[in-house]
Amino acid sequence: MVDLGAILKTLPTIGSQVETLREIILSNVVMIAEIGAATFQERQRAAFLTERFTELQLANCSTDECHNAFGILQGSEGARNILVVAHLDTIFSGERDLTVTVRRGAVQGLGLADNSLGVAIIASLPLILERLQLSFRSNIILMGSARSLGSGNIEGIRFFLDNSSFKVHQALCVEGVELGRLSVGSIGMLRATLTLTKPEILDWSRFDVTSVIVDMNNIINRIQEMPLPRRPRTTVVLNAIHAEASFSNVPISAQLLYEIRSESDAMVEQVATDIRYISDEVASRSEARVNLQTIARRRPGGMSFSHPMVGAARAILSALEEEPHIQPSTSELSACIDRAIPALTIGISHCNNLNTADEQLEIKPIAKGVAQLIALLQAIDQRLCDEAE
């Protein structure tokens, strides 16, 4: 059996070999990023990934009802399955200009870091492993997961874990950024919309008519005044507010997007209940109707820092001279945690101006990010990341 020290010694070689495949990786990044893949619209990107897997002669290349894309690198023993997953969807619709420009040292375009680079690494991994002449005892399930972001509520990976005939023993969730990111657990989270609607106002020139924006502002002020505990750490993030935009009409409908985060699942539920009471009270005083809709939900949990998988990941980042940044995640990791599957979320590179038209993904760190992923796969395959029974 190979020990972790031996794996760490190979990191420079892995990184240099990945550098020789830079053009292939970047080509995949560009092609994937230019395929529109807003949440629930990932079919074309899933087809592209499946086509790549088929070209590389992976087993079981297919998509499912959720438009997840799969391919399996079969192991020499095949008794265990390691899942490597990157979410396919982005926050940008195909109506946006998705043209990608490769510049010296960086790639510029929408959705590169979240998560075109992650998908490109999944698409390129079989070729990289072939170049490195690396094989595994375990099966490596490569997956592009659909319906991850926003109202998708990580439905794709949940569907796969609930319905697949393959038992997943351990998993790695791949995000484009940030290199050094190490997510070992998930916080409790609830994303929701709060919609206020008032009866139609026919005479908008009346001086006693109040806009629904005023009512929504009252709700926001009450939410900000809510006493939140320091332990467990809890917060409410107000993400956006939408209303009709016009000088000639008094808005009769407004919507607030918010997110509750806490280390305690019970506290998430308590804050959600308090917000419902606040909105009902304000609405009752203003003849408004209120509608609360939950968009996404996560349960807290994850591995402890003492878990061998976390220790291996930290040692690998240290050997790469990257500082580990331990942070919670609400991505595919949450679905693995819910099913007691040891899993980590890692990042591949660095990015400037994330999720803007000026987003620039750094090219040079990608080799390190991929070396990190491969070393982790080796450590998991060699059973160096298993807890003692």
Side-chain angles (χ1 to χ4, degrees):
M1 177 182 288
V2 177
D3 63 19
L4 186 58
I7 293 174
L8 298 181
K9 289 178 181 178
T10 67
L11 284 170
T13 301
I14 294 174
S16 61
Q17 287 293 317
V18 172
E19 281 284 356
T20 66
L21 296 170
R22 173 186 289 189
E23 296 304 318
I24 292 174
I25 295 172
L26 292 180
S27 294
N28 280 329
V29 170
V30 172
M31 286 187 285
I32 289 166
E34 292 186 345
I35 299 172
T39 306
F40 300 108
Q41 298 174 21
E42 307 95 341
R43 181 178 301 191
Q44 189 177 355
R45 191 173 282 194
F48 174 87
L49 187 58
T50 305
E51 183 179 325
R52 277 286 183 268
F53 289 158
T54 302
E55 291 172 356
L56 294 166
Q57 299 182 332
L58 270 63
N60 296 65
C61 301
S62 61
T63 58
D64 62 19
E65 292 94 322
C66 282
H67 305 304
N68 296 310
F70 311 94
I72 300 176
L73 278 167
Q74 293 181 306
S76 59
E77 297 177 5
R80 291 167 57 84
N81 300 300
I82 304 170
L83 176 65
V84 183
V85 57
H87 70 83
L88 294 167
D89 52 344
T90 77
I91 64 172
F92 301 105
S93 70
E95 298 173 357
R96 298 288 299 270
D97 182 1
L98 301 177
T99 303
V100 175
T101 304
V102 180
R103 305 182 184 279
R104 185 173 183 177
V107 185
Q108 182 172 333
L110 292 174
L112 293 168
D114 189 17
N115 187 33
S116 299
L117 176 58
V119 178
I121 296 306
I122 300 293
S124 308
L125 192 58
L127 187 59
I128 296 170
L129 295 176
E130 182 180 334
R131 175 68 61 88
L132 291 167
Q133 297 183 328
L134 287 176
S135 58
F136 297 87
R137 296 183 299 177
S138 308
N139 297 321
I140 310 296
I141 303 173
L142 301 179
M143 175 182 176
S145 62
R147 305 180 188 180
S148 175
L149 302 174
S151 58
N153 199 21
I154 56 174
E155 181 183 347
I157 190 170
R158 284 174 168 163
F159 180 88
F160 168 76
L161 293 175
D162 288 342
N163 295 280
S164 173
S165 59
F166 294 95
K167 178 183 178 181
V168 175
H169 294 85
Q170 285 165 306
L172 294 173
C173 308
V174 182
E175 297 280 351
V177 293
E178 286 281 328
L179 177 60
R181 169 184 182 172
L182 194 57
S183 297
V184 304
S186 174
I187 57 173
M189 183 273 286
L190 183 147
R191 291 180 182 144
T193 61
L194 190 163
T195 305
L196 280 183
T197 307
K198 300 184 76 168
E200 184 177 359
I201 301 168
L202 299 178
D203 184 2
W204 60 268
S205 64
R206 285 168 42 198
F207 287 97
D208 61 342
V209 171
T210 59
S211 163
V212 73
I213 294 176
V214 175
D215 302 319
M216 186 64 80
N217 184 63
N218 290 336
I219 291 175
I220 290 172
N221 288 337
R222 294 279 300 276
I223 291 174
Q224 290 181 313
E225 292 168 357
M226 290 172 57
L228 299 176
R230 293 184 178 180
R231 293 182 181 274
R233 291 181 296 179
T234 303
T235 188
V236 178
V237 180
L238 304 179
N239 303 101
I241 183 170
H242 305 289
E244 299 167 3
S246 172
F247 281 114
S248 60
N249 293 293
V250 177
I252 62 171
S253 180
Q255 185 178 73
L256 174 69
L257 280 64
Y258 65 93
E259 183 173 306
I260 305 167
R261 301 175 183 174
S262 179
E263 296 172 325
S264 164
D265 196 52
M267 185 55 63
V268 171
E269 294 295 339
Q270 180 60 58
V271 173
T273 299
D274 291 344
I275 290 176
R276 175 173 289 279
Y277 288 153
I278 289 170
S279 58
D280 285 345
E281 181 181 346
V282 172
S284 68
R285 294 176 179 177
S286 61
E287 298 182 351
R289 296 192 308 274
V290 62
N291 179 40
L292 282 165
Q293 182 178 2
T294 297
I295 301 300
R297 187 73 168 88
R298 307 283 191 275
R299 308 289 177 183
M303 296 185 297
S304 68
F305 280 16
S306 62
H307 194 287
M309 194 172 178
V310 180
R314 296 178 72 179
I316 290 166
L317 284 171
S318 179
L320 289 168
E321 299 181 343
E322 292 288 336
E323 184 71 24
H325 300 291
I326 309 295
Q327 61 187 69
S329 171
T330 57
S331 68
E332 278 64 21
L333 179 68
S334 300
C336 295
I337 290 171
D338 288 345
R339 291 153 183 80
I341 298 170
L344 296 172
T345 298
I346 61 172
I348 299 297
S349 186
H350 301 297
C351 178
N352 298 311
N353 306 316
L354 179 66
N355 289 335
T356 72
D358 295 323
E359 179 175 319
Q360 293 191 10
L361 182 72
E362 296 181 23
I363 295 173
K364 186 175 180 180
I366 292 175
K368 270 190 180 183
V370 176
Q372 166 201 210
L373 171 60
I374 292 172
L376 266 171
L377 281 173
Q378 289 179 293
I380 295 170
D381 184 56
Q382 293 294 327
R383 308 294 296 270
L384 303 177
C385 297
D386 292 0
E387 285 190 297
E389 297 181 358

